[in-house]
Amino acid sequence: MRLISLSMLKPDMVLAKSLYHRDKLILKEGCDDLDKHANALKNLGFDYVYVEDHISQGIEIPDAISEETRVSCKRILRQTIDDFENKTVVDLSDLSETIHNIIDDILSNEEMQVSLNDISASDEYTFAHSVSTTVYSLLIARQLGYSKIMLEKLAAGALFHDIGKILIDKKILNKVENLEPDEAEYIKQHTTLGYGVLKKCLNLTELSRIVALYHHEAMDGSGYPTGIKAGELNEVVRIVTVADTYDALVSDRCYRQRWNSNQAVNYLIEHAETKYDTKLVSAFIRQIAIYPNGSIIRLSDNCTGIVKEQNKNFPLRPVIRVIADANENEVEAYEIDLMKILSITIIESEIESNFIKY
Ligand SMILES: [Fe+2]
């Protein structure tokens, strides 16, 4: 399996993960006439799909939670956000079972290095981002040995960290062009607004609420809305800040294309200490695949390969299936384990757009 953009679809590709839109199954895993659906998918707001083809056959792309858990969480989240918009009091009991399912999935998959990005349609971004931020937050907290009760509080805070955006003008929120300074200031209000919105919810702890208020604060005090040094805040808030940033960077937004995992991790490392808690950034990096399974990479001997599987604790040295030689001619695939051949390194990652022929 591998992730490709719709513009790269080829006739031999089969859909490797079912696609859902507004909670409905629209294309089932195994669909083999994908190119016929490309335009319709594009119109629905999809940009990427997971496919199986001759170079990616047999490669698994692990997710921290099951597809069923992810889909049902997004469905219930949609309903809950609707309640926040339309009701004066919001009950979270429907969501608590889903939170338990996410936590159970995460606790039962301790060995896994997560490779999967949610590739929902663009109008589903809010829900996909909320669930992914929650999953990444829980992965960090699991590393730190959090209790189940603390994981639940963290998950509830992470799911609603951006809830204040329901009160922000969608035209400004989804603006493609650069924001005017007053517009940027206006969007920052989603933090204080979110904290207020969450007061509608009686069964949410204060710790979960303050995540919405403080998730854009920075370690050096350069964040917003208060400019408090994030080190003075509860660690739960700092965890969500790391997870939120990573997922925003690896997602397509109306104003920029997604970054690859390697670029997003480098960004977190570069800004550790000033913006992010270094301890949490390193805990996070241990949980995710820097070169995700299924991504096309270039090796230092100029051969091209596809990442087959991870070597635990050595994220820079996965197992590679080599698919092309140094002259970019396709070869009969063979595998090399970068833990065994230390003279070769990965020099370029997720180079799909440059290597159209694959
Ligand atoms: Fe936010």
Side-chain angles (χ1 to χ4, degrees):
M1 188 193 310
R2 64 176 172 135
L3 180 65
I4 62 152
S5 56
L6 284 173
S7 57
M8 306 278 292
L9 279 178
K10 302 264 169 30
D12 76 321
M13 291 174 175
V14 174
L15 188 66
K17 277 185 77 67
S18 299
L19 294 174
Y20 295 82
H21 187 251
R22 305 224 172 114
D23 314 324
K24 289 199 179 67
L25 177 68
I26 54 162
L27 219 47
K28 207 169 175 346
E29 175 187 328
C31 169
D32 59 3
D33 52 359
L34 265 177
D35 39 343
K36 284 190 196 144
H37 299 282
N39 280 341
L41 291 173
K42 194 87 193 156
N43 290 338
L44 281 174
F46 287 92
D47 288 311
Y48 298 90
V49 283
Y50 284 99
V51 298
E52 190 99 55
D53 62 357
H54 73 287
I55 61 168
S56 66
Q57 224 159 27
I59 294 177
E60 304 279 328
I61 301 188
D63 191 359
I65 59 172
S66 70
E67 180 176 281
E68 191 189 358
T69 303
R70 201 177 272 275
V71 170
S72 84
C73 185
K74 282 194 278 189
R75 179 172 46 78
I76 294 167
L77 195 57
R78 179 192 303 282
Q79 179 58 53
T80 312
I81 290 177
D82 203 48
D83 288 350
F84 273 117
E85 284 183 294
N86 298 306
K87 293 185 178 172
T88 46
V89 177
V90 176
D91 182 6
L92 286 188
S93 34
D94 278 356
L95 205 64
S96 59
E97 192 187 325
T98 310
I99 288 177
H100 287 147
N101 291 342
I102 296 179
I103 293 171
D104 287 347
D105 280 5
I106 283 177
L107 292 180
S108 64
N109 278 327
E110 294 231 14
E111 288 301 301
M112 178 196 291
Q113 271 169 303
V114 176
S115 287
L116 193 90
N117 291 343
D118 190 318
I119 46 130
S120 300
S122 48
D123 63 343
E124 303 271 278
Y125 174 74
T126 308
F127 311 106
H129 174 61
S130 298
V131 176
S132 294
T133 300
T134 304
V135 168
Y136 294 138
S137 297
L138 290 169
L139 290 174
I140 298 170
R142 181 184 70 184
Q143 277 266 306
L144 304 176
Y146 273 42
S147 68
K148 257 192 166 181
I149 289 176
M150 280 303 288
L151 291 178
E152 284 169 19
K153 289 179 182 174
L154 168 66
L159 274 175
F160 298 116
H161 72 281
D162 265 346
I163 190 74
K165 288 187 176 169
I166 64 173
L167 297 177
I168 298 289
D169 185 341
K170 300 285 172 292
K171 268 195 224 124
I172 298 178
L173 203 56
N174 300 323
K175 196 174 162 185
V176 178
E177 303 82 32
N178 285 343
L179 293 173
E180 298 297 331
D182 60 328
E183 291 172 330
E185 284 307 308
Y186 167 64
I187 288 183
K188 287 180 181 177
Q189 290 178 23
H190 79 276
T191 49
T192 43
L193 291 170
Y195 181 66
V197 167
L198 290 177
K199 288 198 169 149
K200 286 184 178 183
C201 190
L202 303 175
N203 40 0
L204 197 66
T205 63
E206 180 64 8
L207 181 57
S208 304
R209 281 196 197 106
I210 62 162
V211 170
L213 182 61
Y214 292 125
H215 68 280
H216 287 287
E217 300 291 0
M219 293 302 284
D220 62 2
S222 63
Y224 63 88
T226 65
I228 190 173
K229 289 191 172 163
E232 291 165 28
L233 295 168
N234 192 294
E235 186 175 70
V236 160
V237 177
R238 299 199 300 278
I239 289 175
V240 177
T241 304
V242 171
D244 174 34
T245 305
Y246 177 81
D247 188 63
L249 292 174
V250 297
S251 304
D252 265 330
R253 303 308 318 279
C254 49
Y255 45 84
R256 62 150 176 78
Q257 276 205 314
R258 65 187 275 272
W259 289 11
N260 67 43
S261 180
N262 189 27
Q263 290 169 311
V265 163
N266 279 334
Y267 180 88
L268 289 174
I269 293 170
E270 277 166 29
H271 294 88
E273 233 30 274
T274 51
K275 284 190 178 181
Y276 312 108
D277 184 331
T278 309
K279 180 180 87 171
L280 303 180
V281 170
S282 46
F284 180 56
I285 293 170
R286 285 196 291 274
Q287 302 292 300
I288 53 153
I290 292 176
Y291 299 114
N293 292 8
S295 53
I296 306 278
I297 51 90
R298 184 162 14 208
L299 296 166
S300 51
D301 60 3
N302 275 325
C303 289
T304 303
I306 179 165
V307 179
K308 180 172 181 269
E309 60 186 78
Q310 305 294 314
N311 274 312
K312 179 118 181 98
N313 296 325
F314 296 95
L316 301 178
R317 309 204 66 81
V319 178
I320 306 293
R321 179 182 290 171
V322 178
I323 54 172
D325 63 19
N327 297 317
E328 296 181 18
N329 295 315
E330 199 162 346
V331 295
E332 193 170 339
Y334 63 94
E335 275 174 26
I336 57 167
D337 184 345
L338 295 184
M339 275 309 288
K340 293 186 182 143
I341 304 178
L342 298 176
S343 57
I344 297 179
T345 54
I346 295 173
I347 57 167
E348 205 177 352
S349 65
E350 295 193 55
I351 50 176
E352 176 189 54
S353 55
N354 300 331
F355 283 77
I356 288 172
K357 64 188 196 175
Y358 304 123

